[in-house]
Structure formats: structure tokens, C-alpha cells
Amino acid sequence: MNFPHRPWPSSLLALSLLALGGCGGPETAAPAEEVASAASPLTLADYPLKASADQRSLVTASGAPFLYVADTPWLLPSKLSQADVKTYLDDRKAKGFNTVQVMFLPMLGQNLTKNFYGDVPFNNLNPASPAITPGATTDPTDAAGYDYWDHIEWIIDQAGQRGLQVAAAVCWYGYGGSDWRGYMTTSASAAYGTFLGQRFGAKNNLFWILGGDNNPIGDIGSLPAGLDAGDRVEATNALANAIRNTEAKRHLMSYHAKRTASSAAYFVGQPWHTVHFAYSNERTYSYTLTDYNRATVRPVVMPESYYDARTSSPLLDRRRLRAQAWWTALSGGVGFAYGHENVWDMDSGWKPALAAASATDIQTFASFLAGHPTHLLRPDHRTGNTQKLLQGGYGSTSTNGGLDYGVSAIASDHGFALAYLPSSRSDLVVNLAALGGAGVKLSWFNPGTGGAKTLIGTYAGTGTKALAWPTGYTDAVLVAERSGTTPPPPGALFRALNLNGPALTLDGRAWESSSGAANVTLTGTLFENQAVPLVPATDASRAQMIRSSVYGTAAKVRVGAVPSGTYDVYLHVWEDNATKTFDILAEGVLVQNDYVSGAPGQWKRLGPWVVSVTDGALDLATSGGTANLSGLEIYQH
């Protein structure tokens, strides 16, 4: 929110696989096709959220993928009546939001000290002394039994009844320290955190937010006179740990820093810090990708960017507002928070502002992504990745302030890919081999109107395709989908290698034992465990090959005496222990980005990757988590 400038959704993402059509050659005309819709609505039982096993995404309590799509009615707890709270929640539920980000406490920088009913949160503004009235009632007119914290609990429960998560900023520090920072000493923070954990820690639908528009070191330019001006790293840790030690259920937690600062900059090593908050300016792709690329991997959420109806620069039109969400989702983010100037502070225009077209665009964004397994998406426009969805058309981060920059992401299973283009361009070229060499179906989606995708055509998975900008679009989403359930039949077999086992025959093809094969070098540790049940189950010979492997965090296979040319390459991998995430490079080119190995026993035949050999040897290498490499197939392309 960055005061004094005022400052992923939908139903449960039962993520259906994309419709897979036939593989073809030339462009074929076809009518528009409907975007898949989400399934079962979220309920209270889907919370609390947690990080996925690979720490790349968010999942529900039962493990289903979750896209965090939030609105920012920050002052709702202190400014709205019960009736207005219900009006607001009903509207945001209907518009596909699944999270509301609110401040538990009145915003002192806005001269607020009480809620709508005249109740205060603390005795004498002391966070160590919550103002509690004995009694239990949901009637706010009952002054003897309904206090400030009863109202907070009522709001949480009302959100939960609608399947909404409350992302609770529990002590907004404020722009330059203008709000609660000066009161949150280490001892007061520990006491307040204990109270929060005991009072609300059993609620399902909570996500804790610490800080607020403020960096914990320095950043006290607006601190009121007479308050504690010390840094707040220790106090923030005390607050977080007190909540952790007393909450009955484990909730996700992050820190809301100053604009363009990440929570990870201060708390990346803290066990309580379970989500990277990438607070951004308008160019959300930059800040999201920075947090995505951190060595400590956590789900990345964009908790704020710029709001609709601003009165100071930057003034964003509808297209530029929705670009922030699309940039986030295709740059490694698993959550985005929308905002409106009249809604964040619940001013006199908040009710009409609920109907803003920009909010409808977020509904379109969320609905579209709910029809795709977005938890598999990995940003492929990042530096160092040579196998991108586009070979031309990204634009530049240095042109027009980076506001015309395109981004793209490819699913880790190479089933689909998306590119977001914030403005028209004439140099669009698609890499048709980006999905691994299978056939590819291309479509346009209009993020400004929603509705149906428009098919461009279906093509073989090789070469490139130049595209014209779609008529009538101000910005566009390009959708690429693998157009066959299995890769196309390979050419003549060049070599098939069992990387840590005997020679055998699979599918009528002879496989060599790498131990006796000529011109084969393995880097890593040889490993075998034939007792692990495989998922999916397979025949005995294939199972024997899969369960023997070479493993390592930098495993390598080098096959020499390979004539210069182009080859289709498949690699069998499996998991024997716990989920790992790793990349695979062929001839130094990233061909598999952030592959998630899955639970023990899971295996997969990855590829085909179209690999060009020019130096007489074919080299495969892994990086990241421990990879088990079992079998390698090389075919003439």
C-alpha cells in the first residue's frame, strides 16, 4: 500500500488437464473453444494452506494446488459494520477472490484507534495488554460482551463460511514507521503473539502477515515522536515465534516490507518465514522472478503492486492493472493481491468501487488459470534459459520502462505453456519445439474480455512459427498445448542404455548395459533398490531398469561417438526417497526445468527432447536436487 500513497481465486483449483487434440502440420481454422472452468468451491476444510513438497507452490490442507488471489480491504476490521462486512465478502466471493488481506488493528496513520463499534484493541495502546470484555456474543450492540477481538473473530468466521482465507496483517508497522512499529517492542511483540496464537491459532482460514509497508531495519522517517526507534528484526521474530508456539494449527506466515523490498531480504533464514512476499512496483515480473530464483526456495506471493483509481503517479489504466497479475503468474508467482484506492481504506466510495472493471479482469485472470495446472508452470523467460516458448517478441525491460515486456512459462511436464504480452508487437515467433518435440496447438486468449480461446492452429513440434497480433486485442495471452497424449513415434534407434543394470530388451528394442557399453561415461553414484513399488506399475524388465540408476545433484551421462546431427532423446527418471526438484540440460541447453520427482516409487519417461550434436558426443547433466537417472534412449530425428 505504501501509505501515504494509497495504495489467485476462484473455486478450489481442481485442475483439469488440458484437452489434447491430434497432431497436425499446416495451420487449420477452427472456432473458438471454451476455457476450462474450475470445479468445487473452496470450503473451510481446505484450510490452512501449506507449501507444496517442492516449496514451489501452495496447496490446500488436502494437498490440492491453490492459486492465491487476494483483494486488499485493509481497513475492513476497523471501519465496517457487520452488515457491510457481509456485503463486501459476498461480492468478493462472487468475483472469484479466495483471500482478503486485512489489518487486525486500526491504522494509526489514518487517525484510527477504534473499530466501527467504538471498541479498542489494547489498553492504553499497549500490545501486551489486549482489551478483552468477558462474555461471549456475536451481537455488537452488547457492550458488556462484544469486544474488539470478538469482532475480529466474527470476521474470520464469516470469511470461513464463504470459503475465504483471511491474510491477517496483525500489527501494521506503517510507512516510515507511522503506525504500530514504535509500540511493538520485543517484549510487547512476544506477549501480543502469544495472545494471537491462543485466541485465533485454531482457526483454519488464516495466513499471518507481519510488518506492513516497512523494513525492519531503519525506515523510521515517519515514526511519531517519543516511540521506540529501534530496529524490529528481533521484535518481529519474537512475534512470529510466539504465534508459532501457541497456535493450535500451523499457518503460513510472511512479512510485508517496504515497496520493492522482499520479505526474504530480512527473514529468509527464519523457520517461520514460509512464503516469499515480493512487494513490487508496477513491473511485478522483476520482483517475482528475483524471489523465485532465490537459493532458499519458497512459494512466491505478490502481496501488493499498484492500485486502481490512484491520484498520483503511476496512473494505471485497466490494461496496465491486469498486466501486474499476469506478469506475476508467469514469472514464478503463486499469488497476487489486487487493490483499489476506495476499497483499501473503505472510504465513502468503496461500495461502487467493488464493481470496477479492474476487479472483473482479476476474475477473468483467476478463472482462466483455474482451468490449467498452473502449479506446474516454471518461468522460461529468465536469464540463462535458452529453450523458451518464444524466439522473438519478448521485447526489452529497458524499453518504455519495461512496461511492454513479455513473459512466458512452460509446465514442468511440458504439457502446456503460456505467454503474456502486455502490448501489440510485430516480431512474434513461437518455438514449436518448446514442449519437447510433440505436436503443439496454439491459441489466443483475450485477458481484457475473457470468454473463449481462439485457435490459431496445430503444428508439428519442430521449427518456429511467426504470428500476427490478434485483431482487437490490447494485450494477449498465447496458449501452447501439447497436441498428443504421447510423443510422436521416434525414428531409428541409435542407442538405448540401462544406466546401472544389465542388457535387456524393452518394447522389442535392445538396451545395452552401461557398464559394458562403449563410449559411455557416467558421473554420479550408482544406486539400486528393487524393493520399491513403482507408480505407475510396469513390467518386470522395465521395473528392473528403472529401479537401478546413477544419482547425484550433478549427475551426468556422456555418450561418445555420436555423429553430428539431430536426435530425439528420452530419459527415464524415478524417485526412491523423497520429492526432489532438478533441471536437466542436454548439450548445455536447459530441456527440463524444475522437474518434480514426486513421492517414492514415481517414475517417468521424460522427452522427447530434440538435441543437436556438433562435437561428437551427447551430454546430459542435472542440477539442483538429487536426480535418479535410470535409462537413456537416443533416436535419429
Side-chain angles (χ1 to χ4, degrees):
M1 179 173 50
N2 202 16
F3 184 81
H5 301 301
R6 297 187 177 182
W8 216 278
S10 77
S11 38
L12 171 63
L13 302 180
L15 297 167
S16 56
L17 292 178
L18 302 173
L20 300 174
C23 180
E27 181 172 337
T28 55
E33 52 187 60
E34 293 301 321
V35 176
S37 59
S40 307
L42 288 161
T43 69
L44 189 59
D46 291 310
Y47 301 104
L49 300 181
K50 54 188 176 182
S52 60
D54 66 353
Q55 296 292 309
R56 281 296 184 198
S57 58
L58 298 175
V59 297
T60 66
S62 62
F66 182 95
L67 181 66
Y68 178 112
V69 181
D71 191 23
T72 49
W74 291 113
L75 300 193
L76 177 148
S78 55
K79 294 191 73 173
L80 294 195
S81 66
Q82 284 190 351
D84 280 344
V85 168
K86 290 180 179 180
T87 296
Y88 170 83
L89 293 176
D90 287 340
D91 180 89
R92 273 3 196 181
K93 173 66 174 178
K95 285 188 170 63
F97 291 90
N98 57 30
T99 301
V100 292
Q101 296 180 183
V102 301
M103 298 179 190
F104 265 12
L105 305 180
M107 193 174 188
L108 300 178
Q110 292 277 295
N111 297 315
L112 297 174
T113 57
K114 303 176 181 180
N115 66 13
F116 179 87
Y117 297 104
D119 297 318
V120 298
F122 304 124
N123 296 310
N124 300 317
L125 297 176
N126 180 6
S129 179
I132 301 172
T133 301
T137 177
T138 59
D139 179 6
T141 64
D142 181 3
Y146 191 82
D147 60 31
Y148 188 96
W149 300 105
D150 291 325
H151 190 54
I152 293 291
E153 184 167 8
W154 180 87
I155 290 170
I156 296 170
D157 291 343
Q158 287 294 312
Q161 290 174 22
R162 294 161 174 80
L164 298 173
Q165 175 180 235
V166 174
V170 296
C171 57
W172 199 259
Y173 285 177
Y175 182 79
S178 57
D179 288 289
W180 288 94
R181 173 176 168 141
Y183 298 91
M184 300 302 298
T185 62
T186 300
S187 60
S189 295
Y192 179 42
T194 298
F195 166 75
L196 290 172
Q198 292 175 341
R199 179 67 187 266
F200 304 112
K203 301 292 184 183
N204 282 15
N205 58 320
L206 278 180
F207 180 121
W208 301 111
I209 299 176
L210 309 185
D213 262 349
N214 188 259
N215 294 338
I217 298 175
D219 201 7
I220 55 172
S222 299
L223 186 75
L227 296 181
D228 188 314
D231 289 341
R232 286 295 180 258
V233 172
E234 182 181 356
T236 301
N237 285 329
L239 174 62
N241 291 327
I243 293 174
R244 276 282 181 268
N245 292 337
T246 54
E247 63 180 358
K249 298 180 179 179
R250 181 56 55 90
H251 301 87
L252 295 174
M253 188 179 294
S254 193
Y255 183 90
H256 189 295
K258 187 177 180 179
R259 188 182 296 280
T260 73
S262 169
S263 59
Y266 301 97
F267 300 107
V268 71
Q270 292 297 324
W272 61 261
H273 181 260
T274 50
V275 174
H276 293 327
F277 261 17
Y279 189 10
S280 174
N281 61 20
E282 187 178 349
R283 294 173 293 282
T284 60
Y285 58 82
S286 175
Y287 297 89
T288 305
L289 195 57
T290 294
D291 273 357
Y292 178 89
N293 286 332
R294 289 185 185 276
T296 301
V297 177
R298 295 287 182 269
V300 181
V301 168
M302 178 63 62
E304 281 193 284
S305 48
Y306 282 120
Y307 289 3
D308 194 1
R310 287 175 57 85
T311 57
S312 59
S313 181
L315 304 177
L316 279 63
D317 62 17
R318 183 177 170 184
R319 175 186 61 86
R320 289 173 63 187
L321 285 162
R322 64 176 173 261
Q324 297 176 137
W326 288 98
W327 274 330
T328 297
L330 301 190
S331 298
V334 298
F336 175 80
Y338 161 84
H340 193 288
E341 287 293 324
N342 300 116
V343 175
W344 82 261
D345 61 353
M346 291 297 172
D347 65 25
S348 60
W350 74 267
K351 286 185 179 178
L354 295 179
S358 56
T360 302
D361 286 344
I362 299 302
Q363 183 177 14
T364 298
F365 158 84
S367 178
F368 176 86
L369 293 180
H372 300 75
T374 54
H375 64 290
L376 299 178
L377 286 176
R378 304 293 182 259
D380 72 325
H381 57 281
R382 68 188 193 277
T383 302
N385 181 21
T386 58
Q387 185 72 347
K388 299 175 182 175
L389 177 60
L390 302 181
Q391 286 201 349
Y394 285 106
S396 171
T397 58
S398 60
T399 301
N400 191 26
L403 300 180
D404 293 321
Y405 186 60
V407 297
S408 59
I410 297 178
S412 58
D413 66 355
H414 281 197
F416 79 109
L418 303 173
Y420 175 71
L421 307 165
S423 59
S424 65
R425 55 210 63 208
S426 59
D427 59 345
L428 279 172
V429 179
V430 180
N431 173 15
L432 296 174
L435 296 185
V440 59
K441 181 172 65 174
L442 300 179
S443 303
W444 288 116
F445 176 72
N446 191 333
T449 61
K453 293 184 294 185
T454 299
L455 181 65
I456 301 169
T458 303
Y459 311 90
T462 59
T464 62
K465 171 68 177 175
L467 298 179
W469 185 258
T471 302
Y473 286 45
T474 58
D475 52 345
V477 176
L478 177 65
V479 185
E481 302 166 70
R482 175 172 278 181
S483 64
T485 55
T486 58
L493 177 66
F494 178 72
R495 296 188 76 172
L497 298 165
N498 186 357
L499 296 180
N500 179 30
L504 44 78
T505 299
L506 295 176
D507 303 321
R509 297 183 176 94
W511 285 57
E512 305 171 65
S513 170
S514 64
S515 62
N519 302 306
V520 176
T521 304
L522 304 181
T523 301
T525 302
L526 299 181
F527 168 77
E528 181 176 7
N529 186 346
Q530 296 294 332
V532 179
L534 294 183
V535 181
T538 188
D539 61 89
S541 293
R542 196 182 320 273
Q544 189 280 335
M545 180 271 292
I546 292 167
R547 291 185 295 217
S548 58
S549 52
V550 56
Y551 80 89
T553 56
K556 297 179 181 179
V557 180
R558 181 178 178 85
V559 181
V562 179
S564 296
T566 303
Y567 298 85
D568 292 318
V569 177
Y570 296 82
L571 181 66
H572 288 74
V573 299
W574 78 300
E575 181 54 62
D576 70 290
N577 186 6
T579 300
K580 307 295 192 306
T581 302
F582 52 87
D583 293 342
I584 302 172
L585 296 91
E587 290 295 285
V589 175
L590 182 67
V591 292
Q592 188 74 47
N593 176 36
D594 281 354
Y595 176 73
V596 180
S597 65
Q602 290 191 353
W603 66 277
K604 194 164 186 177
R605 182 190 189 219
L606 299 175
W609 303 309
V610 180
V611 179
S612 295
V613 174
T614 59
D615 60 355
L618 191 152
D619 290 284
L620 265 70
T622 71
S623 65
T626 304
N628 290 339
L629 311 183
S630 300
L632 177 66
E633 300 169 76
I634 307 171
Y635 296 86
Q636 300 284 355
H637 182 67

